[in-house]
Amino acid sequence: MSKGYDHRAIEAKWQQYWEQHATFRVTDDVSKPKFYCLDMFPYPSGAGLHVGHLEGYTATDIVSRYKRMKGFNVLHPMGWDAFGLPAEQYAVKTGVHPAKTTAENITTFKRQMKRVGLSYDWERELSTTDPGYYRWTQWIFLKLFERGLAYVAEVPVNWCPQLGTVLANEEIVDGKSEVGGFDVIRKPMRQWVLKITAYADRLLEDLKLVDWPTSTLEMQKNWIGRSIGAEVDFALVGRAGAIRVFTTRPDTLFGATYMVLAPEHPLVDGITSEAQKAAVQAYREGTARKSDLQRQELEKEKTGVFTGGYAVNPVNQERLPIWIADYVLMSYGTGAIMAVPAHDERDWAFARQYQLPIREVITGGNVQEAAFTDTDRGTVVNSAASDGSFSINGLIPSEAIPKVTEWLAKQGKGTRAVNYKLRDWLFARQRYWGEPFPIVWVDGEARPIPEQQLPLMLPETSNFKPSGTGESPLANLDQWLATVDPGSGKPARRETNTMPQWAGSCWYYLRFIDSKNSAQLVDQAKECYWMPVDLYIGGSEHAVLHLLYSRFWHKVLFDIGVVSTPEPFMKLVHQGIVLGEDNQKMSKSRGNVVNPDEMIDQFGADAVRLYEMFMGPLEAMKPWSTRGVEGVTRFLERVWRLIVDDQGHLSSAVVSAGASLDHQRLLHQTIKKVTEDIEALRFNTAISQMMIFTNEMTKTQQRPRSVIEPFVLLLAPFAPHVAEELWGLLGQPPSVSQQPWPTFDPALTVSERVTIPIQINGKLRAKLDVGLDVSREEVERLARVEAAEWLQGKEPRKVIYVDKKLLNFVV
RNA sequence: GCGAGAGUGGCGGAACUGGCAGACGCGCGAGACUUAGGAUCUCGUGGGCAACCGUGGGGGUUCAAGUCCCCCCUCUCGCACCA
């Protein structure tokens, strides 16, 4: 047997050609419209590229190649998010420097990407670990510091004893470290924090500007978690001061029957009565000992202790007992709540547990059975001051809320308030393999290193073990640590923390625009031309982390005039996860991991690319099928035989004669379908149309060039190597990648005959094959004949005719 | 629990604004060419002997529902005491 074509030879040949001719190098040619097509750059892990990476990369590659053929100037770059924990952990284990591991892994990734035929402009390649790159990461940090957006705070952090480092909330999954699955406890520490909360509103509002998946938009909205309500002061009984609470339901203020402080709340000591002191103390200690995981495990069973103190409800002067309970979090709102058990599920459960009163103030439910929390129905009751000076009775909640808030403001007892779930971003890591902070410490104060002295190089060492005290391995390097304050000349000590991995990935899309600029982060004119990113494809695991942090930095850069767009990424798509053949997540332990190198060896890069796209919708999770790869391989071989004979020459079936109308229609329908499908990223259906075309043309021995050549152009973005080879065999000069994209004639995309289904009462009974110019009367006449058996001579009650689509008799 | 998305042949999946359900591919079956084929080509392939029945289940709107409305079930992802 013979394979249709030798993918090894052809792919190697054309990859070499593209490299030698710099086919995909891009310049800042402002005469052309631009298209910035970006992949989420990978962390170069030791495992190499997997088939999941390839799905996203192939998609952007197809779009890039298509857009080039459409006449766009396409920026399609690739780089490496190369700082990070795995290389460092490997170094701790083996002593191999992370820089070495990283460089080797990058070599593997790059080799694999080239094998796939991805059309990157490799001259713009960058790595976040390159001092010429992280110089600007440090520069951005200085700008954040200057603007008060980077500060040091004593904050309870997630400390992982096994990793010897602090973790961000996002690096913790189910109370364990995302890397390694180790226990995580809370511990107060001095930390660098970025004030992302200052941008909470803009980060929320500007989501309206982008074309992103709804799930990702929702996740970001929830993460930011804006809620509007009121802050209300409850005066303490028997001493000065007040408890300030945040509530989204000021309409239920008359229903408050007790108050709760977070166990860590600073007022707890002051209000606790002598009699309750021991109980309160015990409870607080118990809470402090619990890790986050334990707090989660103990779920739903509400616990708490009465403090012995009381506060006064400002609307009705009622004395409310003050409790502490760990269901109130110090980290949200004011760390204190007014409890309205009738209209809040948690308060209801707590009140039941401790026999506290439940008072209905909104009708509509049975508050003895369950909390009634609806806000879109019900009427306010039992809500008037005893002296009659103020009442919201009879209102609906949406009217009562502003009325109460207004009244509180007038009394000086409260104010409208907005709260966010979003916390400031814990930005420091106690690790070696990251960007050093451009900061020195003098007399306990942080001083920035002048911009001109950047980059602050990561010092060499062979000891990558964390110090274990909470400081990074950099704390062991005495020579590097001791320095002088560039301002005053006083002795100074360097900051020993490094930045988290997110830092480098926050702004890399800007550097691709001008990757070698040593004077600026990015040239302004170039930035204006290329930004924003038009299409960004990557995994949904970054839906809130990378994609929120990037947007934050981008907005800061916007404010200081470095970038010209409010948002970095206009259209975002997440490729779905590729499962193993057994429909399970790919994993080494399951032994179902598909290695792209093996697939390419066996079937070729074009077949693998094509299969990745043919599997199903880009965003969907779907299983790998090596049989499926064989299927698309057969398709490619059919395409090959369409054009090439057994001797490897242009087939005699390819003729110069004009194409029949049917063949022209087939071609134009295919151009239309493939074009529209690429634009909408529906690659699977684009490929199926090319299969239809191929199946049809295989049947004929007269394959006109005027039909075959445009088809090869359509195939080129998907299977570029074989398309280049076929283009050459057709006698055309290279490169197929630089040909204009075929256009279609709308008149030729419709066929001249159409099949009209005939229905009786909506059931298909017959079909009519008619010309396009057929009249309704004619269709109806023919249909009556066709469907006579079903009509039984009776006159239909009604006849529905949809022009050239369908005819339905209602009898 | 809350938020988002999704349930279609043996399998992956098609079906634009309601208008022939199952395109295309895999698998399977039959045939052709063959010493042979796990190559290639052709044909067939939702279920049922049939009338008919079929897009997770149950209602509804409509001449017509995979598509729209209501109720329910299952799965995936995210959040998880956020006041």
Side-chain angles (χ1 to χ4, degrees):
Chain A
M1 70 130 255
S2 69
K3 284 202 77 171
Y5 72 102
D6 181 354
H7 64 257
R8 279 167 220 264
I10 288 174
E11 289 172 4
K13 171 182 166 187
W14 288 102
Q15 282 162 21
Q16 202 184 358
Y17 175 91
W18 295 328
E19 185 136 3
Q20 276 171 1
H21 293 79
T23 310
F24 305 116
R25 184 192 293 161
V26 58
T27 58
D28 307 309
D29 177 359
V30 297
S31 69
K32 285 202 223 165
K34 68 95 183 180
F35 191 85
Y36 190 172
C37 187
L38 184 67
D39 292 295
M40 287 186 190
F41 68 162
Y43 172 75
S45 75
L49 222 50
H50 56 73
V51 291
H53 283 124
L54 277 192
E55 192 185 16
Y57 298 161
T58 305
T60 52
D61 197 61
I62 290 168
V63 172
S64 296
R65 288 172 177 272
Y66 161 76
K67 286 283 181 182
R68 283 190 203 102
M69 293 173 80
K70 277 287 229 184
F72 285 84
N73 196 24
V74 176
L75 179 55
H76 185 42
M78 181 45 76
W80 318 106
D81 186 17
F83 276 130
L85 207 46
E88 178 153 338
Q89 285 173 323
Y90 184 73
V92 170
K93 234 189 286 173
T94 64
V96 178
H97 197 288
K100 185 165 184 284
T101 316
T102 302
E104 286 167 4
N105 293 346
I106 287 174
T107 305
T108 305
F109 268 68
K110 198 169 167 181
R111 177 186 62 74
Q112 289 181 307
M113 286 177 181
K114 288 191 172 181
R115 274 197 85 185
V116 179
L118 301 176
S119 62
Y120 296 121
D121 177 1
W122 286 106
E123 286 183 29
R124 291 167 188 260
E125 178 183 0
L126 59 80
S127 170
T128 54
T129 56
D130 185 343
Y133 180 86
Y134 69 65
R135 166 188 181 174
W136 297 106
T137 311
Q138 292 171 332
W139 183 86
I140 295 169
F141 179 82
L142 289 180
K143 297 296 156 193
L144 292 163
F145 184 72
E146 273 170 30
R147 297 175 73 83
L149 294 170
Y151 62 98
V152 174
E154 184 85 14
V155 279
V157 298
N158 307 301
W159 172 253
C160 178
Q162 278 89 345
L163 293 174
T165 187
V166 167
L167 299 172
N169 291 335
E170 301 86 305
E171 293 170 306
I172 299 165
V173 178
D174 296 332
K176 304 250 181 196
S177 64
E178 189 179 14
V179 176
F182 302 119
D183 280 328
V184 177
I185 60 168
R186 301 287 278 180
K187 174 176 168 181
M189 252 191 174
R190 294 183 70 238
Q191 293 294 321
W192 282 100
V193 181
L194 300 189
K195 208 183 250 171
I196 190 171
T197 51
Y199 282 73
D201 259 317
R202 283 165 69 187
L203 288 168
L204 188 64
E205 286 305 313
D206 287 355
L207 289 172
K208 291 177 188 139
L209 305 177
V210 297
D211 177 11
W212 284 17
T214 48
S215 63
T216 307
L217 293 173
E218 282 306 311
M219 279 160 75
Q220 292 223 345
K221 283 178 198 164
N222 292 340
W223 194 265
I224 296 166
R226 174 162 71 183
S227 40
I228 297 165
E231 286 190 351
V232 187
D233 287 333
F234 288 67
L236 294 168
V237 172
R239 66 185 293 262
I243 294 174
R244 175 164 293 183
V245 305
F246 173 72
T247 178
T248 54
R249 297 293 305 276
D251 55 317
T252 63
L253 202 46
F254 287 88
T257 57
Y258 64 101
M259 305 198 66
V260 187
L261 302 183
E264 308 90 338
H265 197 285
L267 275 176
V268 173
D269 282 328
I271 57 165
T272 302
S273 69
E274 221 31 66
Q276 294 299 102
K277 211 155 219 163
V280 166
Q281 195 53 34
Y283 187 79
R284 293 181 92 181
E285 279 169 15
T287 306
R289 265 201 310 277
K290 282 184 208 166
S291 70
D292 277 7
L293 182 61
Q294 285 172 312
R295 267 195 170 184
Q296 277 172 28
E297 274 174 350
L298 294 173
E299 239 180 298
K300 315 312 161 201
E301 179 84 344
K302 299 263 182 302
T303 61
V305 176
F306 177 48
T307 62
Y310 291 86
V312 178
N313 188 335
V315 289
N316 59 9
Q317 316 312 315
E318 243 175 59
R319 265 166 49 120
L320 304 175
I322 305 168
W323 289 61
I324 61 170
D326 66 3
Y327 83 89
V328 174
L329 309 173
M330 196 57 224
S331 56
Y332 182 78
T334 61
I337 62 156
M338 64 168 194
V340 184
H343 305 291
D344 180 281
E345 281 169 19
R346 296 147 302 176
D347 297 344
W348 191 89
F350 192 82
R352 268 295 151 98
Q353 177 85 19
Y354 295 102
Q355 276 102 55
L356 293 157
I358 297 171
R359 183 194 301 155
E360 180 178 67
V361 289
I362 312 278
T363 60
N366 179 354
V367 300
Q368 295 312 313
E369 292 294 318
F372 176 71
T373 59
D374 294 10
T375 52
D376 52 359
R377 60 196 186 93
T379 311
V380 178
V381 293
N382 301 326
S383 296
S386 51
D387 61 3
S389 61
F390 176 63
S391 169
I392 51 170
N393 283 332
L395 297 181
I396 57 171
S398 62
E399 299 164 342
I401 289 170
K403 190 162 179 199
V404 173
T405 311
E406 210 173 291
W407 183 86
L408 287 166
K410 239 180 256 162
Q411 307 292 313
K413 301 230 168 101
T415 172
R416 194 184 112 97
V418 178
N419 251 286
Y420 300 92
K421 286 193 224 174
L422 185 68
R423 303 268 73 86
D424 275 343
W425 174 15
L426 189 59
F427 192 65
R429 297 292 181 276
Q430 290 64 50
R431 290 177 198 148
Y432 171 75
W433 193 230
E435 300 89 345
F437 281 79
I439 292 286
V440 298
W441 289 89
V442 187
D443 303 330
E445 258 186 59
R447 300 271 169 80
I449 288 174
E451 278 178 43
Q452 304 75 36
Q453 293 181 23
L454 299 180
L456 171 63
M457 299 285 286
L458 184 62
E460 274 311 316
T461 181
S462 56
N463 178 13
F464 309 104
K465 288 203 169 64
S467 64
T469 61
E471 284 201 290
S472 87
L474 295 179
N476 302 326
L477 306 174
D478 295 334
Q479 285 208 324
W480 180 80
L481 276 185
T483 182
V484 292
D485 173 22
S488 63
K490 284 195 203 169
R493 185 178 192 265
R494 291 195 190 278
E495 170 64 53
T496 60
N497 283 307
T498 55
M499 300 184 198
Q501 197 180 354
W502 310 113
S505 59
C506 263
W507 68 281
Y508 73 110
Y509 56 93
L510 293 172
R511 192 62 179 172
F512 281 132
I513 291 169
D514 197 9
S515 63
K516 298 192 176 78
N517 192 334
S518 57
Q520 282 173 290
L521 188 156
V522 60
D523 176 83
Q524 278 204 314
K526 292 180 183 180
E527 186 279 334
C528 279
Y529 174 60
W530 286 111
M531 285 300 288
V533 173
D534 297 283
L535 176 64
Y536 193 27
I537 297 187
S540 58
E541 67 272 20
H542 294 117
V544 277
L545 317 177
H546 159 62
L547 286 167
L548 191 66
Y549 296 151
S550 270
R551 295 180 59 225
F552 165 44
W553 278 33
H554 192 85
K555 287 181 187 308
V556 175
L557 292 172
F558 179 79
D559 289 347
I560 64 175
V562 174
V563 299
S564 57
T565 64
E567 284 288 326
F569 313 121
M570 288 319 292
K571 184 175 174 64
L572 171 74
V573 176
H574 301 301
Q575 82 275 15
I577 292 171
V578 180
L579 302 171
E581 300 228 34
D582 55 359
N583 241 304
Q584 302 288 309
K585 223 177 153 195
M586 281 194 199
S587 77
K588 264 184 253 165
S589 58
R590 282 203 185 86
N592 61 353
V593 177
V594 177
N595 179 334
D597 272 329
E598 285 173 20
M599 287 295 147
I600 293 171
D601 285 340
Q602 203 178 338
F603 301 103
D606 283 333
V608 171
R609 289 170 63 110
L610 215 44
Y611 176 66
E612 290 262 2
M613 296 297 101
F614 188 60
M615 262 190 289
L618 181 61
E619 304 92 325
M621 181 188 285
K622 46 213 175 289
W624 183 268
S625 158
T626 301
R627 296 258 199 202
V629 188
E630 289 170 14
V632 294
T633 302
R634 279 200 274 276
F635 161 66
L636 284 175
E637 284 168 355
R638 279 160 78 88
V639 172
W640 182 264
R641 284 194 304 272
L642 212 51
I643 299 172
V644 186
D645 65 22
D646 292 344
Q647 275 70 50
H649 301 121
L650 184 63
S651 165
S652 55
V654 176
V655 296
S656 312
S660 69
L661 203 53
D662 278 348
H663 284 161
Q664 287 181 50
R665 286 209 181 93
L666 178 63
L667 173 70
H668 284 259
Q669 282 162 1
T670 302
I671 297 173
K672 180 172 195 282
K673 179 82 176 138
V674 172
T675 305
E676 289 172 356
D677 281 352
I678 293 177
E679 292 279 358
L681 309 180
R682 291 186 303 242
F683 305 110
N684 53 333
T685 48
I687 293 165
S688 90
Q689 179 63 38
M690 292 192 282
M691 288 172 167
I692 292 168
F693 176 93
T694 305
N695 293 344
E696 211 48 52
M697 292 310 290
T698 297
K699 289 179 191 157
T700 177
Q701 287 313 302
Q702 298 284 306
R703 302 166 194 159
R705 269 179 184 276
S706 59
V707 167
I708 294 296
E709 287 183 356
F711 173 73
V712 171
L713 297 177
L714 296 181
L715 183 66
F718 296 84
H721 310 87
V722 76
E724 290 278 16
E725 188 68 19
L726 291 171
W727 191 245
L729 284 162
L730 283 161
Q732 300 288 357
S735 154
V736 77
S737 315
Q738 290 158 332
Q739 298 301 311
W741 187 253
T743 53
F744 61 87
D745 176 355
L748 284 170
T749 60
V750 287
S751 25
E752 62 182 351
R753 297 196 72 75
V754 62
T755 305
I756 297 181
I758 307 304
Q759 297 182 340
I760 310 286
N761 289 339
K763 281 183 200 248
L764 180 69
R765 293 305 185 199
K767 285 181 185 182
L768 238 43
D769 184 51
V770 295
L772 262 192
D773 53 352
V774 75
S775 67
R776 176 189 171 135
E777 290 68 33
E778 180 67 0
V779 171
E780 203 176 319
R781 190 184 62 77
L782 291 166
R784 279 171 195 272
V785 177
E786 284 291 320
E789 177 193 349
W790 308 93
L791 290 171
Q792 298 171 330
K794 280 180 265 176
E795 181 60 20
R797 208 151 47 83
K798 203 169 164 190
V799 181
I800 312 278
Y801 180 65
V802 183
D803 192 32
K804 283 154 197 117
K805 271 270 168 73
L806 161 145
L807 188 111
N808 188 13
F809 291 114
V810 185
V811 296

